[in-house]
Amino acid sequence: MMDDVLVVGAGPVGLTMAAELAPDIRVNVVCPGLVDTETGRRSLGSVSIDDAGSRYALGRAADPMEIVECILFLLSDAASIVTGATLATDGGRSYH
């Protein structure tokens, strides 16, 4: 079984690591946007999570489990060919 490294929010660093560690270790980057957690809500100050989420293409903040499911996919055998990828788990904010 191949080892995995999962980097959260460090695109260029993760991609450099992917090139250096392949083929024995897969390295992928997860870049979450707004996540509906206590920390996410606090970071918004007086703006509500619903108002902030409405600025995303999907119109809402992510549920924490949605981010977890993306990470589980990258760690699974279903993603065995995926390395050096940056997965934007931001509800479309990066292009919206």
Coordinates of all heavy atoms in Angstrom, one line a residue:
M1 N 0.8 -1.2 0.0 CA 0.0 0.0 0.0 C 0.9 1.2 0.0 O 1.9 1.3 0.7 CB -0.9 0.0 1.2 CG -1.8 1.2 1.3 SD -3.0 1.0 2.6 CE -3.8 2.5 2.5
M2 N 0.5 2.2 -0.8 CA 1.2 3.5 -0.9 C 0.9 4.4 0.3 O -0.2 4.3 0.9 CB 0.7 4.2 -2.2 CG 1.5 5.4 -2.6 SD 1.0 6.0 -4.1 CE 1.2 4.6 -5.2
D3 N 1.8 5.1 0.8 CA 1.6 6.1 1.8 C 1.0 7.4 1.2 O 1.2 7.7 0.1 CB 2.9 6.4 2.6 CG 3.4 5.3 3.4 OD1 2.5 4.6 4.0 OD2 4.6 5.1 3.5
D4 N 0.3 8.1 2.1 CA -0.3 9.4 1.6 C 0.1 10.5 2.6 O 0.3 10.3 3.7 CB -1.8 9.3 1.7 CG -2.4 8.4 0.7 OD1 -2.2 8.6 -0.5 OD2 -3.0 7.4 1.1
V5 N 0.3 11.7 2.0 CA 0.5 12.9 2.7 C -0.6 13.8 2.3 O -0.8 14.0 1.1 CB 1.9 13.6 2.5 CG1 1.9 14.9 3.2 CG2 3.0 12.7 2.9
L6 N -1.3 14.4 3.2 CA -2.4 15.3 2.9 C -2.1 16.7 3.5 O -1.8 16.7 4.7 CB -3.7 14.8 3.4 CG -5.0 15.6 3.0 CD1 -5.2 15.4 1.5 CD2 -6.2 15.1 3.8
V7 N -2.0 17.7 2.7 CA -1.7 19.0 3.1 C -2.9 19.9 3.0 O -3.6 19.9 2.0 CB -0.5 19.6 2.3 CG1 -0.1 21.0 2.8 CG2 0.7 18.6 2.3
V8 N -3.2 20.6 4.0 CA -4.4 21.5 4.0 C -4.0 22.9 3.7 O -3.2 23.5 4.5 CB -5.2 21.4 5.3 CG1 -6.4 22.4 5.2 CG2 -5.7 20.0 5.5
G9 N -4.4 23.5 2.6 CA -4.1 24.9 2.3 C -2.7 25.3 2.1 O -2.3 26.4 2.5
A10 N -1.9 24.5 1.4 CA -0.5 24.8 1.2 C -0.1 24.5 -0.2 O 0.9 23.8 -0.5 CB 0.4 24.2 2.2
G11 N -0.9 24.9 -1.2 CA -0.7 24.5 -2.6 C 0.7 24.3 -3.1 O 1.1 23.2 -3.4
P12 N 1.5 25.3 -3.3 CA 2.8 25.2 -3.9 C 3.7 24.2 -3.1 O 4.4 23.4 -3.7 CB 3.4 26.6 -4.0 CG 2.2 27.5 -3.9 CD 1.2 26.7 -3.1
V13 N 3.7 24.3 -1.8 CA 4.5 23.4 -1.0 C 4.1 22.0 -1.2 O 4.9 21.1 -1.4 CB 4.3 23.8 0.5 CG1 5.0 22.8 1.4 CG2 4.9 25.2 0.8
G14 N 2.8 21.7 -1.2 CA 2.3 20.4 -1.4 C 2.7 19.8 -2.8 O 3.0 18.7 -2.9
L15 N 2.6 20.6 -3.8 CA 2.9 20.2 -5.1 C 4.4 19.9 -5.3 O 4.8 19.0 -5.9 CB 2.4 21.2 -6.2 CG 0.9 21.4 -6.2 CD1 0.5 22.4 -7.2 CD2 0.1 20.1 -6.4
T16 N 5.2 20.7 -4.6 CA 6.7 20.4 -4.6 C 6.9 19.1 -3.9 O 7.7 18.3 -4.4 CB 7.4 21.6 -3.9 OG1 7.2 22.8 -4.6 CG2 8.9 21.3 -3.9
M17 N 6.3 18.9 -2.8 CA 6.4 17.6 -2.1 C 6.0 16.4 -2.9 O 6.6 15.4 -2.9 CB 5.6 17.6 -0.8 CG 6.1 18.5 0.3 SD 5.0 18.6 1.7 CE 5.0 16.9 2.3
A18 N 4.9 16.6 -3.7 CA 4.4 15.5 -4.6 C 5.5 15.1 -5.6 O 5.7 13.9 -5.8 CB 3.2 15.9 -5.3
A19 N 6.2 16.0 -6.2 CA 7.2 15.7 -7.1 C 8.4 15.0 -6.5 O 9.0 14.1 -7.0 CB 7.7 17.0 -7.8
E20 N 8.7 15.4 -5.3 CA 9.9 14.9 -4.6 C 9.6 13.5 -4.0 O 10.5 12.7 -3.9 CB 10.3 15.8 -3.5 CG 10.9 17.1 -4.0 CD 11.3 18.1 -2.9 OE1 11.2 17.7 -1.7 OE2 11.6 19.2 -3.2
L21 N 8.4 13.2 -3.6 CA 8.1 11.9 -2.9 C 7.5 10.9 -3.8 O 7.5 9.7 -3.4 CB 7.1 12.2 -1.7 CG 7.7 13.2 -0.7 CD1 6.6 13.5 0.4 CD2 8.9 12.6 0.0
A22 N 7.1 11.2 -5.0 CA 6.5 10.2 -5.9 C 7.7 9.2 -6.3 O 8.8 9.6 -6.4 CB 5.9 10.9 -7.1
P23 N 7.4 8.0 -6.6 CA 6.1 7.3 -6.7 C 5.6 6.7 -5.4 O 4.6 6.1 -5.4 CB 6.3 6.3 -7.8 CG 7.7 5.9 -7.6 CD 8.4 7.1 -7.2
D24 N 6.4 6.7 -4.4 CA 6.1 6.0 -3.2 C 5.1 6.6 -2.3 O 4.4 5.9 -1.5 CB 7.4 5.7 -2.3 CG 8.4 4.9 -3.1 OD1 8.0 4.0 -3.8 OD2 9.6 5.3 -3.0
I25 N 5.0 7.9 -2.3 CA 4.0 8.6 -1.5 C 3.2 9.6 -2.3 O 3.8 10.3 -3.1 CB 4.8 9.4 -0.4 CG1 5.6 8.4 0.5 CG2 3.9 10.3 0.5 CD1 6.5 9.1 1.5
R26 N 1.9 9.6 -2.1 CA 1.1 10.5 -2.8 C 0.9 11.8 -1.9 O 0.7 11.6 -0.7 CB -0.3 9.9 -3.1 CG -0.3 8.8 -4.1 CD -1.6 8.2 -4.4 NE -2.4 7.8 -3.3 CZ -3.6 8.1 -3.0 NH1 -4.3 8.9 -3.8 NH2 -4.2 7.7 -1.9
V27 N 0.9 13.0 -2.5 CA 0.7 14.2 -1.8 C -0.4 15.0 -2.5 O -0.3 15.3 -3.7 CB 2.0 15.0 -1.8 CG1 1.8 16.4 -1.0 CG2 3.2 14.3 -1.1
N28 N -1.4 15.3 -1.8 CA -2.5 16.2 -2.3 C -2.8 17.3 -1.3 O -2.5 17.2 -0.1 CB -3.7 15.3 -2.6 CG -3.5 14.3 -3.7 OD1 -3.3 14.7 -4.8 ND2 -3.4 13.0 -3.4
V29 N -3.4 18.3 -1.8 CA -3.7 19.5 -1.1 C -5.2 19.8 -1.1 O -5.8 19.7 -2.1 CB -2.9 20.8 -1.6 CG1 -3.3 22.0 -0.8 CG2 -1.4 20.5 -1.7
V30 N -5.7 20.0 0.1 CA -7.1 20.4 0.3 C -7.2 21.8 0.7 O -6.6 22.2 1.7 CB -7.8 19.4 1.3 CG1 -9.3 19.9 1.5 CG2 -7.8 18.0 0.8
C31 N -8.0 22.6 -0.1 CA -8.1 24.0 0.2 C -9.5 24.4 0.5 O -10.3 24.7 -0.4 CB -7.6 24.9 -0.9 SG -5.8 24.7 -1.3
P32 N -9.9 24.3 1.8 CA -11.3 24.6 2.1 C -11.6 26.1 2.1 O -10.7 26.9 2.4 CB -11.5 24.0 3.6 CG -10.1 23.9 4.1 CD -9.2 23.8 2.9
G33 N -12.8 26.4 1.8 CA -13.3 27.8 1.9 C -14.0 27.9 3.3 O -13.5 27.4 4.3
L34 N -15.1 28.6 3.3 CA -15.8 28.9 4.5 C -16.5 27.6 5.0 O -17.2 26.9 4.2 CB -16.9 29.9 4.3 CG -17.7 30.3 5.5 CD1 -16.9 30.9 6.7 CD2 -18.8 31.3 5.1
V35 N -16.2 27.2 6.2 CA -16.8 25.9 6.8 C -17.6 26.4 8.0 O -17.2 27.2 8.8 CB -15.6 24.9 7.2 CG1 -16.3 23.7 7.8 CG2 -14.7 24.6 6.0
D36 N -18.8 25.8 8.1 CA -19.7 26.1 9.2 C -19.3 25.5 10.5 O -19.8 24.4 10.9 CB -21.1 25.7 8.8 CG -22.2 26.3 9.7 OD1 -21.8 27.0 10.7 OD2 -23.4 26.1 9.5
T37 N -18.3 26.1 11.1 CA -17.9 25.7 12.5 C -17.9 26.9 13.4 O -18.1 28.0 12.9 CB -16.4 25.2 12.4 OG1 -15.6 26.2 12.0 CG2 -16.3 24.0 11.4
E38 N -17.7 26.7 14.6 CA -17.6 27.8 15.6 C -16.5 28.8 15.2 O -16.7 30.0 15.2 CB -17.4 27.3 17.0 CG -17.5 28.3 18.1 CD -18.8 29.1 18.1 OE1 -19.8 28.4 17.9 OE2 -18.8 30.3 18.3
T39 N -15.3 28.2 14.8 CA -14.2 29.1 14.4 C -14.6 29.8 13.1 O -14.3 31.0 13.0 CB -13.0 28.2 14.2 OG1 -12.6 27.5 15.4 CG2 -11.8 29.1 13.7
G40 N -15.2 29.2 12.2 CA -15.6 29.9 11.0 C -16.6 31.0 11.2 O -16.5 32.1 10.7
R41 N -17.5 30.7 12.1 CA -18.5 31.8 12.5 C -17.8 33.0 13.2 O -18.1 34.1 12.9 CB -19.6 31.2 13.4 CG -20.6 30.3 12.6 CD -21.6 29.6 13.5 NE -22.4 28.8 12.7 CZ -23.6 29.1 12.3 NH1 -24.1 30.3 12.5 NH2 -24.4 28.3 11.6
R42 N -16.9 32.6 14.1 CA -16.2 33.7 14.9 C -15.4 34.6 13.9 O -15.2 35.8 14.1 CB -15.3 33.1 15.9 CG -15.9 33.1 17.3 CD -14.8 32.9 18.4 NE -13.8 31.9 18.1 CZ -13.8 30.6 18.3 NH1 -14.9 30.1 18.9 NH2 -12.8 29.8 18.0
S43 N -14.8 33.9 12.9 CA -13.9 34.7 12.0 C -14.7 35.7 11.2 O -14.0 36.6 10.6 CB -13.2 33.7 11.1 OG -14.1 33.2 10.1
L44 N -16.0 35.6 11.1 CA -16.8 36.5 10.3 C -17.2 37.8 11.0 O -17.7 38.7 10.4 CB -18.0 35.8 9.8 CG -17.8 34.6 8.9 CD1 -19.1 33.8 8.7 CD2 -17.2 35.0 7.6
G45 N -16.9 37.8 12.3 CA -17.3 39.0 13.1 C -18.8 39.2 13.1 O -19.5 38.3 13.5
S46 N -19.3 40.3 12.6 CA -20.7 40.6 12.7 C -21.5 40.0 11.5 O -22.7 40.1 11.4 CB -21.0 42.1 12.8 OG -20.5 42.7 11.6
V47 N -20.8 39.5 10.5 CA -21.4 38.9 9.3 C -21.9 37.5 9.6 O -21.2 36.7 10.2 CB -20.5 38.8 8.1 CG1 -21.1 38.2 6.9 CG2 -19.9 40.2 7.8
S48 N -23.2 37.2 9.2 CA -23.7 35.8 9.5 C -23.1 34.8 8.6 O -22.7 35.2 7.5 CB -25.2 35.8 9.4 OG -25.6 35.8 8.0
I49 N -23.1 33.6 9.0 CA -22.6 32.5 8.2 C -23.4 32.4 6.9 O -22.8 32.1 5.8 CB -22.5 31.2 8.9 CG1 -21.6 30.1 8.2 CG2 -23.9 30.6 9.2 CD1 -20.2 30.1 8.6
D50 N -24.7 32.6 7.0 CA -25.5 32.5 5.8 C -25.2 33.6 4.8 O -25.1 33.4 3.6 CB -27.0 32.6 6.2 CG -27.5 31.3 6.9 OD1 -26.9 30.3 6.7 OD2 -28.4 31.5 7.7
D51 N -25.0 34.9 5.3 CA -24.6 36.0 4.4 C -23.3 35.7 3.7 O -23.1 35.9 2.5 CB -24.6 37.3 5.1 CG -26.0 37.8 5.4 OD1 -27.0 37.3 4.8 OD2 -26.1 38.7 6.3
A52 N -22.3 35.3 4.5 CA -21.0 35.0 3.9 C -21.1 33.9 2.9 O -20.5 33.9 1.9 CB -20.0 34.7 5.1
G53 N -21.8 32.8 3.3 CA -21.9 31.7 2.4 C -22.6 32.0 1.1 O -22.4 31.4 0.0
S54 N -23.5 33.0 1.1 CA -24.2 33.4 -0.1 C -23.3 34.0 -1.2 O -23.7 34.0 -2.3 CB -25.3 34.4 0.2 OG -24.8 35.7 0.6
R55 N -22.1 34.3 -0.8 CA -21.1 34.8 -1.8 C -20.4 33.7 -2.6 O -19.7 34.0 -3.5 CB -20.1 35.7 -1.1 CG -20.8 36.9 -0.4 CD -19.7 37.8 0.3 NE -20.4 38.8 1.0 CZ -20.2 39.1 2.3 NH1 -19.3 38.3 3.0 NH2 -20.9 40.0 2.9
Y56 N -20.6 32.5 -2.2 CA -20.0 31.3 -2.8 C -20.9 30.9 -3.9 O -22.2 31.0 -3.9 CB -19.8 30.2 -1.8 CG -18.7 30.5 -0.8 CD1 -18.7 31.6 0.0 CD2 -17.6 29.7 -0.8 CE1 -17.6 31.9 0.9 CE2 -16.5 29.9 0.1 CZ -16.6 31.0 0.9 OH -15.5 31.3 1.8
A57 N -20.4 30.2 -4.9 CA -21.2 29.8 -6.1 C -22.3 28.8 -5.6 O -23.4 28.9 -6.2 CB -20.3 29.1 -7.1
L58 N -22.0 28.0 -4.6 CA -23.1 27.1 -4.2 C -24.0 27.7 -3.2 O -25.0 27.1 -2.7 CB -22.4 25.8 -3.5 CG -21.7 24.9 -4.5 CD1 -21.2 23.7 -3.8 CD2 -22.6 24.5 -5.7
G59 N -23.7 29.0 -2.8 CA -24.6 29.8 -2.0 C -24.6 29.4 -0.5 O -25.5 29.8 0.2
R60 N -23.6 28.7 0.0 CA -23.5 28.4 1.4 C -22.1 28.0 1.8 O -21.3 27.7 1.0 CB -24.5 27.2 1.7 CG -24.1 25.9 0.9 CD -25.0 24.8 1.2 NE -24.7 23.6 0.4 CZ -23.7 22.8 0.7 NH1 -22.9 23.0 1.8 NH2 -23.4 21.7 0.0
A61 N -22.0 27.9 3.1 CA -20.7 27.4 3.7 C -20.7 25.9 3.7 O -21.8 25.3 3.6 CB -20.6 27.9 5.2
A62 N -19.6 25.3 3.7 CA -19.5 23.9 3.8 C -19.8 23.3 5.2 O -19.5 24.0 6.2 CB -18.1 23.4 3.4
D63 N -20.4 22.2 5.2 CA -20.6 21.4 6.5 C -19.2 20.8 6.7 O -18.6 20.3 5.7 CB -21.7 20.4 6.3 CG -21.9 19.6 7.5 OD1 -21.1 18.6 7.7 OD2 -22.8 19.9 8.3
P64 N -18.7 20.7 7.9 CA -17.4 20.1 8.2 C -17.3 18.7 7.6 O -16.2 18.3 7.1 CB -17.3 20.0 9.7 CG -18.2 21.2 10.2 CD -19.3 21.2 9.2
M65 N -18.4 17.9 7.6 CA -18.3 16.5 7.1 C -18.1 16.5 5.6 O -17.6 15.5 5.1 CB -19.6 15.7 7.5 CG -19.6 15.3 8.9 SD -18.1 14.4 9.4 CE -18.2 13.0 8.4
E66 N -18.5 17.5 4.9 CA -18.2 17.6 3.4 C -16.7 17.7 3.2 O -16.2 17.1 2.2 CB -18.9 18.8 2.8 CG -20.5 18.6 2.8 CD -21.2 19.8 2.3 OE1 -21.0 20.9 2.8 OE2 -21.9 19.7 1.3
I67 N -16.0 18.4 4.0 CA -14.6 18.5 3.9 C -13.9 17.1 4.2 O -13.0 16.6 3.5 CB -14.0 19.6 4.7 CG1 -14.7 20.9 4.5 CG2 -12.5 19.7 4.6 CD1 -14.7 21.4 3.1
V68 N -14.4 16.5 5.3 CA -13.9 15.2 5.7 C -14.1 14.2 4.6 O -13.2 13.4 4.3 CB -14.6 14.7 7.0 CG1 -14.3 13.3 7.3 CG2 -14.3 15.6 8.2
E69 N -15.3 14.2 3.9 CA -15.5 13.3 2.9 C -14.6 13.4 1.7 O -14.1 12.5 1.1 CB -17.0 13.4 2.4 CG -17.9 12.8 3.5 CD -19.4 13.1 3.2 OE1 -19.7 13.7 2.1 OE2 -20.2 12.7 4.0
C70 N -14.2 14.7 1.4 CA -13.2 14.9 0.3 C -11.9 14.4 0.7 O -11.2 13.8 -0.1 CB -13.1 16.4 0.0 SG -14.6 17.1 -0.7
I71 N -11.5 14.6 2.0 CA -10.2 14.1 2.5 C -10.2 12.5 2.5 O -9.2 11.9 2.0 CB -9.9 14.6 3.9 CG1 -9.7 16.1 3.8 CG2 -8.8 13.8 4.6 CD1 -9.6 16.8 5.2
L72 N -11.3 11.9 2.9 CA -11.4 10.5 2.9 C -11.3 9.9 1.4 O -10.7 8.9 1.2 CB -12.7 10.0 3.5 CG -12.8 10.2 5.0 CD1 -14.2 9.8 5.5 CD2 -11.7 9.4 5.7
F73 N -11.9 10.6 0.5 CA -11.7 10.2 -0.9 C -10.2 10.2 -1.3 O -9.7 9.2 -1.9 CB -12.5 11.1 -1.9 CG -12.1 10.9 -3.3 CD1 -12.4 9.8 -4.0 CD2 -11.3 11.9 -3.9 CE1 -11.9 9.6 -5.3 CE2 -10.9 11.8 -5.2 CZ -11.2 10.6 -5.9
L74 N -9.5 11.3 -1.0 CA -8.1 11.4 -1.4 C -7.3 10.3 -0.7 O -6.3 9.9 -1.3 CB -7.6 12.8 -1.1 CG -8.1 13.9 -2.0 CD1 -7.6 15.2 -1.5 CD2 -7.6 13.6 -3.5
L75 N -7.7 9.9 0.4 CA -6.9 8.9 1.2 C -7.3 7.4 0.8 O -6.7 6.5 1.2 CB -7.1 9.1 2.7 CG -6.5 10.3 3.2 CD1 -6.9 10.5 4.7 CD2 -5.0 10.4 3.1
S76 N -8.4 7.3 0.0 CA -8.9 6.0 -0.4 C -8.2 5.4 -1.6 O -7.5 6.1 -2.4 CB -10.4 6.1 -0.6 OG -10.7 6.7 -1.9
D77 N -8.4 4.2 -1.8 CA -8.0 3.5 -3.1 C -8.6 4.1 -4.3 O -8.0 4.0 -5.4 CB -8.2 2.0 -3.0 CG -7.3 1.3 -1.9 OD1 -6.3 1.9 -1.6 OD2 -7.7 0.2 -1.5
A78 N -9.8 4.7 -4.2 CA -10.4 5.3 -5.3 C -9.6 6.4 -5.9 O -9.8 6.8 -7.1 CB -11.8 5.8 -5.0
A79 N -8.7 7.0 -5.1 CA -7.9 8.1 -5.6 C -6.4 7.7 -5.8 O -5.5 8.5 -5.7 CB -8.0 9.3 -4.6
S80 N -6.2 6.4 -6.0 CA -4.8 5.9 -6.1 C -4.0 6.5 -7.2 O -2.8 6.4 -7.1 CB -4.9 4.4 -6.2 OG -5.5 4.0 -7.4
I81 N -4.6 7.1 -8.2 CA -3.9 7.7 -9.3 C -3.7 9.2 -9.0 O -3.0 9.9 -9.8 CB -4.6 7.4 -10.6 CG1 -3.7 7.8 -11.8 CG2 -5.9 8.2 -10.7 CD1 -2.4 7.0 -11.9
V82 N -4.3 9.7 -8.0 CA -4.2 11.2 -7.7 C -3.1 11.6 -6.9 O -2.9 11.1 -5.7 CB -5.6 11.6 -7.0 CG1 -5.5 13.1 -6.8 CG2 -6.8 11.2 -7.9
T83 N -2.2 12.4 -7.4 CA -1.1 13.0 -6.6 C -0.7 14.3 -7.2 O -0.9 14.5 -8.4 CB 0.2 12.1 -6.5 OG1 1.0 12.6 -5.5 CG2 0.9 12.0 -7.8
G84 N -0.3 15.2 -6.4 CA 0.1 16.6 -6.9 C -1.2 17.4 -7.2 O -1.1 18.4 -7.9
A85 N -2.3 17.0 -6.7 CA -3.5 17.7 -6.9 C -3.9 18.7 -5.8 O -3.6 18.5 -4.7 CB -4.7 16.7 -7.1
T86 N -4.5 19.8 -6.2 CA -5.0 20.8 -5.2 C -6.6 20.7 -5.4 O -7.1 21.0 -6.5 CB -4.5 22.2 -5.5 OG1 -3.1 22.2 -5.4 CG2 -5.1 23.2 -4.5
L87 N -7.2 20.3 -4.3 CA -8.7 20.2 -4.4 C -9.3 21.4 -3.7 O -9.2 21.5 -2.4 CB -9.1 18.8 -3.7 CG -10.6 18.6 -3.7 CD1 -11.2 18.5 -5.2 CD2 -10.9 17.2 -3.0
A88 N -10.0 22.2 -4.4 CA -10.6 23.4 -3.9 C -12.0 22.9 -3.3 O -12.9 22.5 -4.1 CB -10.8 24.5 -4.9
T89 N -12.1 22.9 -2.0 CA -13.3 22.4 -1.4 C -14.0 23.7 -0.8 O -14.3 23.8 0.4 CB -13.1 21.4 -0.2 OG1 -12.1 22.0 0.7 CG2 -12.5 20.1 -0.8
D90 N -14.2 24.6 -1.7 CA -14.7 26.0 -1.3 C -16.0 26.4 -1.9 O -16.3 27.6 -1.9 CB -13.6 27.0 -1.6 CG -13.4 27.1 -3.1 OD1 -14.0 26.4 -3.9 OD2 -12.5 28.0 -3.5
G91 N -16.8 25.4 -2.3 CA -18.1 25.8 -2.8 C -18.1 26.7 -4.0 O -19.1 27.4 -4.3
G92 N -17.0 26.7 -4.7 CA -17.0 27.5 -5.9 C -16.5 28.9 -5.7 O -16.4 29.7 -6.6
R93 N -16.0 29.2 -4.5 CA -15.6 30.6 -4.2 C -14.3 31.0 -5.0 O -14.2 32.1 -5.4 CB -15.3 30.8 -2.7 CG -14.9 32.1 -2.3 CD -16.0 33.1 -2.4 NE -15.5 34.4 -1.9 CZ -16.0 35.6 -2.2 NH1 -17.1 35.6 -3.0 NH2 -15.6 36.7 -1.8
S94 N -13.5 30.0 -5.3 CA -12.2 30.3 -6.0 C -12.5 30.8 -7.4 O -11.6 31.4 -8.0 CB -11.3 29.1 -5.9 OG -11.9 28.0 -6.5
Y95 N -13.6 30.5 -8.0 CA -13.9 31.0 -9.3 C -15.1 31.9 -9.4 O -15.4 32.5 -10.4 CB -14.0 29.9 -10.3 CG -15.3 29.1 -10.2 CD1 -16.5 29.5 -10.8 CD2 -15.4 27.9 -9.4 CE1 -17.7 28.9 -10.7 CE2 -16.6 27.3 -9.3 CZ -17.7 27.7 -9.9 OH -18.9 27.0 -9.8
H96 N -15.8 32.1 -8.3 CA -17.1 32.8 -8.3 C -16.8 34.3 -8.0 O -16.1 34.7 -7.2 CB -18.0 32.2 -7.3 CG -19.4 32.9 -7.2 ND1 -20.2 32.8 -8.3 CD2 -20.0 33.6 -6.3 CE1 -21.3 33.4 -8.0 NE2 -21.2 33.9 -6.8

